[in-house]
Amino acid sequence: MQPIDQPTPTVSPAASPGAVADLIAMLLPARRIVAFTGAGISTESGIPDYRGPGGVWERKAPPTLGDFLDNPETQQAYWERRRFTYPALLAAEPNVGHLALAALERAGRLIGVITQNIDGLHQRAGNDPDRVVELHGTAHRVGCIACSAVWSGAEIQARQDAGESFPRCVLCGGALRTATVLFGESLPPDALRRAASLAQACDAMLIVGSSLVVQPAASLPVLARERGAKLAIVNRMTTPLDALADVRVAGDAGPTLAALAAALGT
Ligand code: APR
């Protein structure tokens, strides 16, 4: 996963009714919609994004793969921090935006979700887990770097809450890490392959809540476009792919997606 140069963000006001109407008009004839989501779809569930105002990066940039693997101090700081951040992720509920995408899938209009999110909220909202591609992994699984044993995030949280602030593998003593992709790390090949297939199969890609500045994820809308799909972007801020989009809605994901799902008869 690699960051690319970021545009100067401009904060947009609430979505204009005209833009939402354009979004609906664009997606009404679509039969194979793929949603491409980022952290912005989950802010209305109380999970901060990375690059928006108040985002994670204003406080602490996530570690790179090399830093994490080479430095026990980085691992310890990571786990001590996660002990206080993971409970919020575990407790978060899908919001109306997630629910709208699940409704679009039930209605047979959405063939898949490609997400950069690690929160699992699309599956919790009702999207078929087999149709959700987690490009950057999941925070809800933890593995041992040495022996590959796996636990749920909740199990490790319970150990931390019981006093182990820096948990290690109970089988071999190895370092633990979450099943998330770090900067400097390749994306899981199977996830990338499935995401590319969806991008090539869709007739419209609905991009929601992503700054579109992290590669290779941000190349998927470009691939969809090259294969003839329409593109819509729903985002509070501008993105580097706005010029490629057929429709851009500058505003909040939840109400926009709820209006879309209602208009598409779900
Ligand atoms: N509705 C619409 N847009 C929103 C909302 C909302 N409710 N909340 C935030 N946004 C927008 C922000 O303005 C921002 O442009 O969502 C975008 C989120 O961008 P990022 O924080 O960069 O998140 P994302 O694109 O998912 O980041 C990609 O970067 O650090 C990594 O691995 C991490 O998967 C993540 C990747």
Side-chain angles (χ1 to χ4, degrees):
M1 178 163 69
Q2 298 295 336
I4 58 173
D5 287 344
Q6 297 186 32
T8 307
T10 53
V11 180
S12 305
S16 80
V20 177
D22 289 345
L23 178 72
I24 292 167
M26 185 196 116
L27 291 176
L28 261 178
R31 288 294 171 269
R32 297 184 312 280
I33 301 170
V34 165
F36 176 95
T37 66
I41 196 170
S42 294
T43 57
E44 291 165 62
S45 294
I47 301 172
D49 62 8
Y50 296 91
R51 298 173 185 80
V56 170
W57 280 40
E58 278 182 11
R59 282 167 275 150
K60 179 149 182 45
T64 62
L65 178 67
D67 182 21
F68 189 86
L69 293 183
D70 294 346
N71 294 310
E73 306 79 35
T74 303
Q75 295 169 13
Q76 181 162 4
Y78 171 83
W79 282 106
E80 285 175 355
R81 184 174 150 71
R82 177 171 152 114
R83 181 183 166 202
F84 296 102
T85 55
Y86 186 58
L89 206 62
L90 262 183
E93 295 289 339
N95 64 56
V96 289
H98 297 105
L99 296 173
L101 293 183
L104 286 173
E105 182 182 298
R106 277 195 302 279
R109 305 295 295 272
L110 185 92
I111 61 169
V113 178
I114 302 169
T115 187
Q116 298 165 91
N117 298 345
I118 57 174
D119 54 34
L121 289 180
H122 289 301
Q123 297 91 324
R124 295 243 340 261
N127 283 100
D128 178 349
D130 290 340
R131 290 178 184 263
V132 178
V133 181
E134 293 179 310
L135 269 185
H136 293 165
T138 174
H140 298 304
R141 205 167 57 242
V142 175
C144 171
I145 290 172
C147 76
S148 302
V150 174
W151 294 270
S152 71
E155 285 173 284
I156 302 300
Q157 182 70 33
R159 283 173 56 190
Q160 289 196 287
D161 289 343
E164 266 183 276
S165 61
F166 183 21
R168 298 189 71 87
C169 178
V170 289
L171 301 177
C172 76
L176 300 183
R177 62 167 295 184
T178 52
T180 51
V181 177
L182 297 173
F183 278 108
E185 185 167 24
S186 299
L187 270 53
D190 185 56
L192 195 51
R193 186 187 51 73
R194 289 172 57 218
S197 302
L198 282 171
Q200 292 173 70
C202 66
D203 57 2
M205 184 173 271
L206 173 57
I207 301 158
V208 186
S210 177
S211 57
L212 299 173
V213 297
V214 171
Q215 294 291 8
S219 65
L220 291 163
V222 179
L223 176 61
R225 186 73 169 134
E226 284 168 359
R227 291 301 176 108
K230 299 266 188 195
L231 294 188
I233 297 180
V234 180
N235 208 63
R236 282 181 184 161
M237 293 178 171
T238 55
T239 82
L241 297 188
D242 285 359
L244 213 59
D246 298 279
V247 173
R248 173 176 149 71
V249 180
D252 287 353
T256 303
L257 297 185
L260 172 69
L264 265 50
T266 63

